[in-house]
Amino acid sequence: MEAYFTDKANEWVIADQTRLKQVLINLVTNAIKYNKPNGLVKFYVELDEAKVKFHIEDEGIGIPSEHHGSIFNPFYRLNMENNFFVEGTGIGLSVAKEMTELMNGKITLTSELNEGSHFVVTLPRAELNSEPIDYAPNNAKRKIAFNTIKVLYVEDNIANLKLMQRIVENMDGVTLVQTQFGERAVALALNESPDIILLDLNLPDIDGFEVLKRIKKEKELSEIPIIAVTAHAMPEDQAKIKLAGFDSFIPKPIEIERLISELERLTRK
Ligand code: MN
């Protein structure tokens, strides 16, 4: 990984800090994940009169041009068949694009098969005396009509836990309780009485299926909807998840819109 800046590095961009970070982390994560072995990932910033351009380049297998239109679709996953067992984190390209556009920016892609990929995130450049921009109209669009729900998220991957905290920060009326251990999930659920449980299937101690069994055994917890969160979301995995008694599943990398709609659907009373 190589990151470099021009000598004019002390520049400002007009953006929502959290969203910009999520977008760039997403693109850099993909660039690393889909790179060739020992390939280089470059991250650098280019300035022009009115714009700041963040460049993310990899030396991976690239994306054939006929996919350039669909790669930003919500259900498109890069090289899914080859990388299925890579546990993803992050917001997904469709959400990255949406977030960037909400900030009056754009994401472009140049890539050829076997030549690597080059993403550019372009955002308006700020003067130091620029007025802060209120993204409230866009935030309002994402505000959720929850009447205070408590979510228990059982997940061992720190990046996913942090991502979930970020997502929940942007929602009204959602409290989050988290643990990294399946063994602790039942006791925590008994103490906290969550309205819904998000359960990573692959945990360091006992797996998500075992956690589900233990939760369902507790009479006070047996009605709480439980969503499996997993990178393994092929049809046969989905069948297994359904059969085990999960109410739903959310594939990793987590798409924010999918998460929100599932939380809304399953906590509606
Ligand atoms: Mn895990």
Coordinates of all heavy atoms in Angstrom, one line a residue, residues 58-102:
D58 N -5.4 -0.2 -8.0 CA -4.9 -1.5 -7.6 C -4.3 -2.2 -8.9 O -4.5 -1.7 -10.0 CB -5.9 -2.4 -6.9 CG -7.0 -2.8 -7.8 OD1 -6.8 -3.3 -9.0 OD2 -8.2 -2.6 -7.4
E59 N -3.7 -3.3 -8.6 CA -3.1 -4.1 -9.7 C -3.8 -5.4 -9.8 O -3.2 -6.4 -10.1 CB -1.6 -4.2 -9.5 CG -0.8 -2.9 -9.6 CD 0.6 -3.0 -9.3 OE1 1.1 -4.0 -8.7 OE2 1.4 -2.0 -9.6
G60 N -5.0 -5.5 -9.5 CA -5.8 -6.7 -9.4 C -6.2 -7.2 -10.8 O -5.8 -6.7 -11.8
I61 N -7.2 -8.1 -10.8 CA -7.6 -8.7 -12.1 C -8.5 -7.7 -12.9 O -8.8 -8.0 -14.1 CB -8.4 -10.0 -11.9 CG1 -9.7 -9.8 -11.1 CG2 -7.5 -11.1 -11.3 CD1 -10.6 -10.9 -11.2
G62 N -8.9 -6.6 -12.3 CA -9.6 -5.6 -13.0 C -11.1 -6.0 -13.2 O -11.5 -7.1 -12.8
I63 N -11.8 -5.1 -13.8 CA -13.3 -5.3 -14.0 C -13.5 -5.1 -15.5 O -13.3 -4.0 -16.0 CB -14.0 -4.2 -13.2 CG1 -13.7 -4.4 -11.7 CG2 -15.5 -4.4 -13.4 CD1 -14.0 -3.2 -10.8
P64 N -14.1 -6.1 -16.1 CA -14.3 -6.0 -17.6 C -15.3 -4.8 -17.9 O -16.2 -4.6 -17.1 CB -14.9 -7.3 -18.0 CG -15.2 -8.1 -16.7 CD -14.5 -7.4 -15.6
S65 N -15.1 -4.2 -19.0 CA -15.8 -2.9 -19.2 C -17.3 -3.2 -19.3 O -18.1 -2.3 -18.9 CB -15.3 -2.3 -20.5 OG -15.4 -3.2 -21.6
E66 N -17.8 -4.4 -19.7 CA -19.2 -4.6 -19.7 C -19.8 -4.6 -18.3 O -21.0 -4.5 -18.2 CB -19.6 -5.9 -20.5 CG -19.1 -7.2 -19.9 CD -17.7 -7.6 -20.4 OE1 -16.9 -6.7 -20.9 OE2 -17.4 -8.8 -20.4
H67 N -19.0 -4.7 -17.3 CA -19.5 -4.6 -15.9 C -19.5 -3.2 -15.3 O -20.0 -3.0 -14.2 CB -18.7 -5.6 -15.0 CG -19.0 -7.0 -15.2 ND1 -19.1 -8.0 -14.2 CD2 -19.2 -7.7 -16.4 CE1 -19.3 -9.2 -14.8 NE2 -19.4 -9.0 -16.1
H68 N -18.9 -2.3 -16.0 CA -18.7 -1.0 -15.4 C -20.1 -0.3 -15.0 O -20.1 0.4 -14.0 CB -17.9 0.0 -16.3 CG -16.5 -0.4 -16.3 ND1 -15.5 0.3 -16.9 CD2 -15.8 -1.6 -15.9 CE1 -14.3 -0.3 -16.8 NE2 -14.5 -1.4 -16.2
G69 N -21.1 -0.6 -15.8 CA -22.4 -0.1 -15.5 C -23.1 -0.7 -14.3 O -23.7 0.0 -13.5
S70 N -22.8 -2.0 -14.1 CA -23.6 -2.7 -13.0 C -22.8 -2.8 -11.7 O -23.4 -3.1 -10.7 CB -23.9 -4.1 -13.5 OG -22.7 -4.8 -14.0
I71 N -21.6 -2.5 -11.7 CA -20.8 -2.6 -10.5 C -21.3 -1.8 -9.3 O -21.1 -2.2 -8.2 CB -19.3 -2.3 -10.8 CG1 -18.4 -2.5 -9.6 CG2 -19.1 -1.0 -11.4 CD1 -17.0 -2.4 -9.9
F72 N -22.0 -0.7 -9.6 CA -22.5 0.1 -8.5 C -23.9 -0.3 -8.2 O -24.6 0.4 -7.4 CB -22.4 1.6 -8.9 CG -21.0 2.1 -9.0 CD1 -20.5 2.3 -10.3 CD2 -20.3 2.4 -7.9 CE1 -19.2 2.8 -10.4 CE2 -19.0 2.8 -8.0 CZ -18.4 3.0 -9.2
N73 N -24.4 -1.3 -8.8 CA -25.8 -1.8 -8.4 C -25.7 -2.5 -7.0 O -24.7 -3.1 -6.7 CB -26.3 -2.8 -9.4 CG -26.7 -2.2 -10.7 OD1 -26.8 -0.9 -10.8 ND2 -26.9 -3.0 -11.7
P74 N -26.8 -2.4 -6.2 CA -26.8 -2.9 -4.9 C -26.4 -4.4 -4.8 O -25.8 -4.8 -3.8 CB -28.2 -2.7 -4.4 CG -28.8 -1.6 -5.2 CD -28.1 -1.7 -6.6
F75 N -26.8 -5.2 -5.7 CA -26.6 -6.6 -5.5 C -25.4 -7.2 -6.3 O -25.2 -8.4 -6.3 CB -27.9 -7.4 -5.9 CG -29.0 -6.9 -4.9 CD1 -30.0 -6.1 -5.4 CD2 -28.9 -7.3 -3.6 CE1 -30.9 -5.7 -4.5 CE2 -29.9 -6.9 -2.7 CZ -30.9 -6.1 -3.2
Y76 N -24.6 -6.3 -6.8 CA -23.4 -6.7 -7.6 C -22.3 -6.9 -6.6 O -22.0 -6.0 -5.8 CB -23.0 -5.7 -8.6 CG -21.9 -6.2 -9.5 CD1 -22.2 -6.8 -10.7 CD2 -20.6 -5.9 -9.2 CE1 -21.2 -7.3 -11.5 CE2 -19.6 -6.4 -10.0 CZ -19.9 -7.1 -11.2 OH -18.9 -7.5 -12.0
R77 N -21.6 -8.0 -6.6 CA -20.5 -8.2 -5.7 C -19.3 -8.6 -6.6 O -19.4 -9.5 -7.5 CB -20.7 -9.3 -4.7 CG -21.7 -8.8 -3.7 CD -22.0 -9.9 -2.7 NE -21.0 -9.8 -1.6 CZ -21.0 -10.8 -0.7 NH1 -21.8 -11.8 -0.7 NH2 -20.1 -10.7 0.3
L78 N -18.2 -7.9 -6.4 CA -17.0 -8.2 -7.2 C -16.6 -9.6 -7.1 O -16.3 -10.1 -6.1 CB -15.9 -7.3 -6.7 CG -16.1 -5.8 -6.9 CD1 -15.1 -5.0 -6.0 CD2 -15.8 -5.4 -8.3
N79 N -16.4 -10.2 -8.3 CA -15.8 -11.6 -8.4 C -16.4 -12.5 -7.3 O -15.6 -13.2 -6.6 CB -14.3 -11.5 -8.2 CG -13.8 -10.5 -9.2 OD1 -14.1 -10.5 -10.4 ND2 -13.0 -9.6 -8.7
M80 N -17.7 -12.4 -7.1 CA -18.3 -13.1 -6.0 C -17.9 -14.6 -5.9 O -17.6 -15.2 -4.9 CB -19.8 -13.0 -6.1 CG -20.5 -13.5 -4.9 SD -22.2 -13.0 -5.0 CE -22.9 -13.9 -3.7
E81 N -17.9 -15.2 -7.1 CA -17.6 -16.7 -7.1 C -16.2 -17.0 -6.7 O -16.0 -18.1 -6.0 CB -17.9 -17.3 -8.5 CG -17.0 -16.7 -9.7 CD -17.5 -15.3 -10.2 OE1 -18.5 -14.8 -9.6 OE2 -16.9 -14.8 -11.1
N82 N -15.2 -16.1 -6.9 CA -13.9 -16.4 -6.5 C -13.6 -16.0 -5.1 O -12.7 -16.5 -4.4 CB -12.9 -15.7 -7.4 CG -13.1 -16.1 -8.9 OD1 -13.4 -17.2 -9.1 ND2 -12.9 -15.1 -9.7
N83 N -14.3 -15.0 -4.6 CA -13.9 -14.5 -3.3 C -15.0 -14.7 -2.3 O -15.1 -13.9 -1.3 CB -13.6 -13.0 -3.5 CG -12.3 -12.8 -4.2 OD1 -11.3 -12.9 -3.6 ND2 -12.4 -12.4 -5.4
F84 N -15.8 -15.6 -2.5 CA -17.0 -15.8 -1.7 C -16.7 -15.9 -0.2 O -17.4 -15.4 0.6 CB -17.8 -17.0 -2.1 CG -19.2 -17.0 -1.4 CD1 -20.1 -16.0 -1.7 CD2 -19.5 -17.9 -0.5 CE1 -21.3 -15.9 -1.1 CE2 -20.7 -17.9 0.2 CZ -21.6 -16.9 -0.1
F85 N -15.6 -16.5 0.1 CA -15.3 -16.8 1.5 C -14.5 -15.7 2.2 O -14.1 -15.8 3.3 CB -14.6 -18.2 1.7 CG -15.6 -19.3 1.3 CD1 -15.5 -19.9 0.1 CD2 -16.7 -19.5 2.1 CE1 -16.4 -20.9 -0.2 CE2 -17.6 -20.5 1.8 CZ -17.5 -21.2 0.6
V86 N -14.2 -14.6 1.4 CA -13.6 -13.5 2.0 C -14.7 -12.8 2.8 O -15.7 -12.3 2.3 CB -13.0 -12.5 1.0 CG1 -12.4 -11.3 1.6 CG2 -12.0 -13.2 0.1
E87 N -14.5 -12.7 4.1 CA -15.5 -12.0 4.9 C -15.4 -10.5 4.7 O -14.3 -9.9 5.0 CB -15.3 -12.4 6.4 CG -16.5 -11.9 7.2 CD -16.6 -12.6 8.5 OE1 -16.3 -13.8 8.6 OE2 -17.0 -12.0 9.5
G88 N -16.4 -9.9 4.2 CA -16.3 -8.5 3.9 C -16.7 -7.6 5.0 O -17.4 -7.9 5.9
T89 N -16.2 -6.4 5.0 CA -16.7 -5.3 5.8 C -17.0 -4.2 4.9 O -16.4 -4.1 3.9 CB -15.6 -4.9 6.9 OG1 -14.5 -4.3 6.2 CG2 -15.2 -6.0 7.7
G90 N -17.8 -3.3 5.4 CA -17.9 -2.0 4.6 C -19.3 -1.9 4.0 O -20.2 -2.6 4.3
I91 N -19.4 -0.8 3.3 CA -20.7 -0.3 3.0 C -21.2 -0.8 1.6 O -22.3 -0.6 1.2 CB -20.7 1.2 3.1 CG1 -19.6 1.8 2.2 CG2 -20.6 1.6 4.5 CD1 -19.6 3.3 2.2
G92 N -20.3 -1.3 0.8 CA -20.7 -1.7 -0.6 C -20.6 -0.5 -1.6 O -20.8 0.6 -1.2
L93 N -20.3 -0.9 -2.8 CA -20.1 0.2 -3.8 C -21.3 1.0 -4.1 O -21.2 2.2 -4.4 CB -19.6 -0.5 -5.1 CG -18.1 -0.8 -5.2 CD1 -17.8 -1.5 -6.5 CD2 -17.3 0.4 -5.0
S94 N -22.5 0.4 -4.1 CA -23.7 1.1 -4.4 C -23.9 2.2 -3.4 O -24.3 3.4 -3.7 CB -24.9 0.2 -4.5 OG -25.3 -0.3 -3.2
V95 N -23.7 1.9 -2.1 CA -23.9 2.9 -1.0 C -22.8 3.9 -1.1 O -23.0 5.1 -0.9 CB -23.9 2.2 0.4 CG1 -24.1 3.3 1.4 CG2 -25.1 1.3 0.4
A96 N -21.6 3.5 -1.5 CA -20.4 4.5 -1.6 C -20.8 5.5 -2.7 O -20.6 6.7 -2.5 CB -19.2 3.7 -2.0
K97 N -21.4 5.0 -3.8 CA -21.7 5.9 -4.9 C -22.8 6.9 -4.4 O -22.8 8.1 -4.7 CB -22.2 5.1 -6.1 CG -22.6 5.9 -7.3 CD -22.9 5.0 -8.5 CE -23.3 5.8 -9.7 NZ -24.7 6.0 -9.8
E98 N -23.8 6.3 -3.7 CA -25.0 7.1 -3.3 C -24.5 8.2 -2.3 O -24.8 9.4 -2.5 CB -26.0 6.2 -2.6 CG -27.3 6.9 -2.4 CD -28.2 6.2 -1.4 OE1 -27.9 5.0 -1.1 OE2 -29.1 6.8 -0.8
M99 N -23.6 7.8 -1.4 CA -23.1 8.8 -0.4 C -22.3 9.9 -1.1 O -22.5 11.0 -0.8 CB -22.2 8.1 0.6 CG -22.9 7.2 1.6 SD -21.7 6.5 2.7 CE -22.7 5.9 4.0
T100 N -21.5 9.5 -2.1 CA -20.7 10.5 -2.7 C -21.6 11.4 -3.5 O -21.3 12.7 -3.5 CB -19.7 9.7 -3.7 OG1 -19.0 8.8 -3.0 CG2 -18.7 10.7 -4.3
E101 N -22.6 10.9 -4.1 CA -23.5 11.8 -4.9 C -24.3 12.7 -4.0 O -24.5 13.9 -4.3 CB -24.4 11.0 -5.8 CG -23.6 10.4 -7.0 CD -24.4 9.4 -7.8 OE1 -25.5 9.1 -7.5 OE2 -23.8 8.9 -8.8
L102 N -24.6 12.2 -2.8 CA -25.3 13.1 -1.8 C -24.4 14.3 -1.4 O -24.9 15.3 -1.0 CB -25.7 12.3 -0.6 CG -26.9 11.3 -0.7 CD1 -27.1 10.4 0.5 CD2 -28.2 12.1 -1.0

